[in-house]
Amino acid sequence: KIAAGEGVERPASVVKELLENSIDAGATRISVAVEDGGRTLIRVSDDGSGIPAQEAMLAFAQHATSKVASVEDLFAISTMGFRGEALASIASVSHAMMVTRTADSEQGVRIEVKDSHAGQAAPCAAPVGTTIEVRDLFYSVPARRKFLRTDATEFSHIHEMVLRAALPNPQVALTLSSNGKVVLELPATADHRMRVGEALGKELYPELMEVDVSEQGIRVYGFAGQPAMARATAKYQYVFLNGRFIRD
């Protein structure tokens, strides 16, 4: 029923999938750390619900985490992820490691995955939530590595993915760091306009006009800029459908 799967094309693809998993897990804090534009390391940590120890081994199995139980579910998707393909796809082209713990567990579990084969779950100390580390992206498919651009270009794509997750989710605090340096820090806020300003430029805050219209069961909500803020590019235009970034 779904013709296209989500492929791992570049480091930003990994960041997108892991961010969506964290949001689905109800996280209130998410940190993203990358090295060398994501080639060497991508680490996403959250304080979400975590994965029960007995289910953690399944997390990297294809479709095991799918949220879809029937065809009808495709027309009422309320989660960011639903096919259950992302972690399996990521693990097939990298060295992946997951540490996770639920609130009712005294200790967490750690699982390492190499060449799509998950090792044994080992108990470990961990805060509630999930951390996933992805190292040596595309080590197993050198041809794919050749298509990656410079570290700066790949990081700019990662930065964009974090913004796309941050703008519709002001209730989630997000931090992005590159090679140990914090590049973006967005505190959680109940003021959606503040999140837009923090993410795209504080000078925008007083200039934004709120839009909120409901009609025939559809609500359109967001912020529009004054004419003086017009740009020659569509870079600052973000459209989301049920929290999911879209292009028309």
Side-chain angles (χ1 to χ4, degrees):
K1 291 293 179 181
I2 305 174
E6 186 73 44
V8 179
E9 299 173 358
R10 62 194 330 156
S13 309
V14 174
V15 172
K16 171 183 179 290
E17 298 294 345
L18 297 182
L19 278 173
E20 290 181 353
N21 283 353
S22 293
I23 291 167
D24 282 344
T28 61
R29 288 194 314 277
I30 305 172
S31 71
V32 180
V34 301
E35 292 178 7
D36 305 323
R39 289 168 219 263
T40 309
L41 170 71
I42 299 169
R43 182 192 300 114
V44 177
S45 302
D46 68 54
D47 64 349
S49 57
I51 302 172
Q54 64 273 18
E55 295 178 19
M57 290 288 291
L58 274 174
F60 290 96
Q62 197 166 22
H63 304 305
T65 58
S66 173
K67 317 292 192 300
V68 177
S70 68
V71 174
E72 289 70 32
D73 289 350
L74 289 174
F75 299 97
I77 291 170
S78 59
T79 53
M80 296 299 290
F82 55 91
R83 286 183 306 263
E85 290 182 315
L87 288 180
S89 297
I90 292 167
S92 70
V93 293
S94 69
H95 294 125
M97 184 276 294
M98 176 175 72
V99 173
T100 186
R101 181 186 149 211
T102 57
D104 55 3
S105 300
E106 291 185 2
Q107 61 185 9
V109 292
R110 175 191 172 100
I111 295 172
E112 292 197 31
V113 186
K114 290 189 178 179
D115 300 322
S116 294
H117 296 297
Q120 289 300 309
C124 67
V128 173
T130 302
T131 294
I132 292 183
E133 278 190 7
V134 176
R135 293 185 179 273
D136 305 322
L137 190 61
F138 299 138
Y139 82 96
S140 57
V141 273
R144 195 85 66 87
R145 288 196 85 135
K146 288 181 182 175
F147 283 100
L148 294 180
R149 304 304 175 105
T150 64
D151 289 357
T153 299
E154 293 301 335
F155 181 74
S156 72
H157 286 287
I158 291 170
H159 189 275
E160 179 67 15
M161 286 302 174
V162 173
L163 288 181
R164 291 179 186 181
L167 287 169
N169 295 289
Q171 77 284 359
V172 180
L174 275 148
T175 306
L176 171 63
S177 61
S178 174
N179 298 329
K181 179 184 176 184
V182 175
V183 177
L184 186 66
E185 193 161 13
L186 301 172
T189 176
D191 181 353
H192 209 145
R193 183 199 302 258
M194 180 64 74
R195 170 55 58 93
V196 176
E198 294 271 1
L200 301 181
K202 291 184 178 179
E203 71 280 1
L204 300 180
Y205 183 84
E207 305 295 331
L208 294 171
M209 298 184 294
E210 188 172 0
V211 176
D212 194 349
V213 181
S214 296
E215 197 172 303
Q216 298 181 1
I218 295 174
R219 182 186 182 208
V220 176
Y221 174 79
F223 297 93
Q226 306 272 12
M229 295 165 59
R231 300 286 201 276
T233 166
K235 180 183 177 185
Y236 292 100
Q237 293 177 5
Y238 288 86
V239 180
F240 300 89
L241 177 59
N242 295 344
R244 193 184 300 278
F245 177 82
I246 60 168
R247 288 195 179 93
D248 63 30

